[in-house]
Amino acid sequence: TAVNDEPIDAELVEGEVIDVEIVSVEKLDAGVTQPQRVTLRKDGVELRAVFKQLSTTYDDATGAKASFDSDRFEYELAAYKLDRLIGLDMVPVAVPRTIGKRRGVLQFWIDNSINLRHMIEQKLQPAGWCEALAQYNLMNVFDVLTGNTDRTQENALFTRDWMLVLIDHSLAFRTHQKRPRLLYLGELQLPPALAERLAALDAMQLQQALGPWLQKRQIDAILKRRDQLLREYRAAAAAGQRATGT
């Protein structure tokens, strides 16, 4: 464990900027991005966050940039911002930070959580006020919208009150339109309230929120995937109306 007594500027509560002390930085065994767990202290209160700094770009054989098939900490920030734009609140708070000379993302650490793999191994059943299947469906919608190719049982967590939390989006935001492999195999459904929020998104809004972290092609790809989700939603709604004669 390394200890750094220098204060850093950390924003782990949205809209509030505070100076905190870095108490410790620990290496984590899990994850190819070599994340670190950072303990922060302010006025005697401690909280933990995960710090990621890996940001790679892969080139194709011609030397041109590939279709954003890279592993980048910046995508964690874009996932958090997009999650808040559409009102899911499933991605933990994430902020850009420099620790020492290392640029990266600092994201709130979810204490007392259990990932899906451990939950299944222990034969536990979610028993919160929000139905698990509805939360799995929202996870699928978010993964389709973001083009996330790396959803696993290890990066979908349940809190102690059985609310689903989505982490590890450093392989999201692909530019192709092929749907990723979804972790939950149920039929994809778009709740009406979420459909309204998605329909309200536009290029200018996304550019303002995500522009620091994504390229224009990636933002355009989000909008194309959004349009496809809405087409499927409207087709299903029309089919339901025909079936009921309304």
Side-chain angles (χ1 to χ4, degrees):
T1 301
V3 177
N4 183 347
D5 291 328
E6 295 182 3
I8 64 167
D9 182 29
E11 180 186 5
L12 288 182
V13 179
E14 189 171 17
E16 180 181 354
V17 179
I18 56 177
D19 291 328
V20 301
E21 172 192 357
I22 298 179
V23 178
S24 64
V25 181
E26 311 165 61
K27 292 182 179 179
L28 296 175
D29 295 332
V32 297
T33 57
Q34 300 178 335
Q36 297 172 303
R37 183 167 55 200
V38 180
T39 300
L40 308 169
R41 180 187 297 145
K42 171 69 175 179
D43 296 333
V45 178
E46 292 188 358
L47 58 80
R48 296 193 293 178
V50 61
F51 180 69
K52 293 184 179 182
Q53 58 178 314
L54 182 65
S55 186
T56 63
T57 299
Y58 303 123
D59 297 339
D60 63 20
T62 67
K65 290 289 187 288
S67 60
F68 302 98
D69 293 330
S70 51
D71 198 328
R72 299 177 64 82
F73 74 77
E74 289 91 342
Y75 298 166
E76 305 285 6
L77 296 157
Y80 163 64
K81 291 294 186 181
L82 183 58
D83 168 87
R84 292 306 191 269
L85 271 180
I86 62 177
L88 294 185
D89 292 336
M90 299 179 80
V91 177
V93 174
V95 292
R97 283 295 175 266
T98 298
I99 295 182
K101 296 182 179 180
R102 298 165 297 167
R103 289 182 62 251
V105 58
L106 202 61
Q107 188 162 44
F108 187 72
W109 180 273
I110 307 300
D111 283 315
N112 301 312
S113 63
I114 184 170
N115 65 41
L116 291 188
R117 181 171 66 84
H118 290 154
M119 187 190 77
I120 293 170
E121 290 174 350
Q122 296 176 34
K123 299 181 179 180
L124 300 176
Q125 292 293 329
W129 66 269
C130 186
E131 185 182 8
L133 294 183
Q135 297 188 72
Y136 293 150
N137 176 67
L138 292 178
M139 172 181 67
N140 280 355
V141 171
F142 192 67
D143 286 341
V144 168
L145 184 66
T146 59
N148 183 22
T149 62
D150 191 40
R151 179 67 61 210
T152 68
Q153 292 179 346
E154 285 73 27
N155 58 36
L157 317 175
F158 272 108
T159 63
R160 71 178 82 186
D161 56 351
W162 297 109
M163 298 301 294
L164 189 60
V165 176
L166 307 179
I167 62 172
D168 292 346
H169 296 94
S170 61
L171 288 171
F173 301 106
R174 299 304 188 233
T175 54
H176 57 71
Q177 293 301 307
K178 181 180 178 181
R179 286 200 169 175
R181 177 186 58 83
L182 298 176
L183 189 59
Y184 171 60
L185 300 180
E187 181 180 358
L188 194 69
Q189 297 181 349
L190 199 59
L194 179 56
E196 290 183 9
R197 291 194 290 270
L198 288 176
L201 292 177
D202 59 37
M204 183 177 297
Q205 185 182 24
L206 288 180
Q207 180 62 40
Q208 183 177 6
L210 309 181
W213 321 118
L214 301 181
Q215 299 295 321
K216 182 179 183 300
R217 283 177 56 197
Q218 293 172 295
I219 292 174
D220 290 342
I222 293 172
L223 289 170
K224 290 178 181 179
R225 290 190 287 264
R226 182 278 309 270
D227 291 345
Q228 181 59 34
L229 284 168
L230 290 177
R231 281 193 292 269
E232 294 172 4
Y233 166 75
R234 290 162 183 158
Q241 291 176 350
R242 289 193 299 270
T244 58
T246 59

